């Protein structure tokens, strides 16, 4: 995240930073963001009411964090209840593998960014040969019925480009011996 650039742009507008965490889950990333951006307006949205209960408990002392329930969809603003060009930064972690049309959802998230805003997408990676990914993903779908498809970092970059986003950074990382992940920073 280009913290200095984001702060400069917000100061030039005379407004605080506006940050949206899509699929915010238990609110851990929002807690981290609120520590790094104490004057920002933070928004978290998640489809799960159970996750939002946990996020509200974690963030109960953070007055600048606004949580709501919502589902990512295709179409205008990814189906979220925000105006176009509302956010300096949008984060979306561990959610792409649940989307049946991720390029369309990313396009909708792009609509929510201010000019030169940033979208950070992170997820676990689909592994390639010699890793037995087809059997592994078959098992994942039996355990997590909402799982649609995991992506390699190259596939995820292509989805970002299809959504009209410029890829600024793409990086793979190891989570543990079994899992790998990727993170992609994009901008308008």
């Amino acid at each position: 995240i280009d913290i200095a650039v984001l702060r400069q742009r917000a100061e030039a507008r005379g407004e605080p930073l506006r940050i949206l965490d899509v699929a915010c889950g238990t609110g851990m990333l929002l807690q981290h963001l609120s520590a790094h951006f104490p004057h920002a307006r933070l928004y978290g949205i998640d489809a799960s009411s159970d996750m939002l209960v946990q996020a509200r408990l974690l963030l109960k002392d953070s007055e600048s964090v606004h949580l709501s329930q919502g589902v990512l969809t295709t179409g205008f603003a990814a189906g979220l209840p925000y105006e176009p060009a509302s956010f300096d930064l949008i984060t979306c972690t561990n959610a792409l593998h649940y989307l049946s049309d991720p390029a369309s959802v990313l396009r909708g998230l792009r609509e929510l960014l201010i000019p030169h805003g940033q979208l950070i997408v992170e997820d676990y990676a689909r592994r390639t040969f010699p890793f037995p990914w087809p059997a592994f993903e078959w098992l994942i779908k039996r355990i997590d019925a909402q799982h649609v498809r995991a992506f390699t970092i190259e596939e995820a970059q292509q989805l970002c480009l299809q959504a009209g986003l410029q890829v600024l950074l793409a990086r793979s990382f190891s989570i543990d011996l079994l899992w790998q992940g990727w993170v992609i920073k994009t901008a308008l």
Side-chain angles (χ1 to χ4, degrees):
I1 301 172
D2 295 329
I3 297 170
V5 172
L6 290 174
R7 284 188 178 140
Q8 281 179 331
R9 289 186 183 139
E11 287 172 9
R13 288 192 323 267
E15 298 178 3
L17 281 171
R18 290 177 50 104
I19 300 172
L20 172 63
D21 185 17
V22 175
C24 67
T26 61
M28 288 176 52
L29 180 55
L30 283 168
Q31 182 183 44
H32 180 75
L33 290 168
S34 69
H36 281 64
F37 301 101
H39 302 293
R41 288 189 200 145
L42 300 166
Y43 298 82
I45 194 158
D46 200 280
S48 169
S49 58
D50 292 338
M51 290 289 188
L52 289 170
V53 166
Q54 293 177 55
R56 284 186 178 92
L57 286 172
L58 181 68
L59 300 163
K60 66 182 183 277
D61 298 327
S62 300
E63 293 179 21
S64 63
V65 178
H66 310 279
L67 298 171
S68 58
Q69 190 168 9
V71 177
L72 285 171
T73 63
T74 59
F76 179 74
L80 301 179
Y82 306 109
E83 294 295 318
S86 291
F87 297 99
D88 298 279
L89 173 65
I90 298 174
T91 59
C92 182
T93 59
N94 300 316
L96 212 64
H97 63 271
Y98 288 125
L99 305 176
S100 58
D101 188 355
S104 180
V105 172
L106 291 170
R107 202 172 301 112
L109 293 176
R110 183 196 74 208
E111 293 170 352
L112 296 174
L113 289 172
I114 64 163
H116 308 291
Q118 296 178 21
L119 170 64
I120 310 266
V121 185
E122 179 270 334
D123 210 336
Y124 64 84
R126 181 169 57 83
R127 309 261 314 262
T128 55
F129 184 81
F131 190 85
W133 186 261
F136 192 67
E137 193 158 47
W138 178 87
L139 180 62
I140 292 170
K141 289 179 180 182
R142 298 306 168 269
I143 295 168
D144 183 358
Q146 294 177 332
H147 174 91
V148 176
R149 178 176 188 255
F151 299 92
T152 65
I153 191 170
E154 294 82 12
E155 292 168 336
Q157 288 179 80
Q158 278 304 119
L159 292 170
C160 291
L161 294 172
Q162 289 171 23
L165 294 159
Q166 176 187 4
V167 175
L168 302 177
L169 172 77
R171 185 173 61 92
S172 296
F173 57 90
S174 289
I175 299 169
D176 58 29
L177 290 174
L178 185 61
W179 293 97
Q180 293 181 353
W182 49 256
V183 63
I184 299 173
K185 179 171 77 169
T186 68
L188 283 180

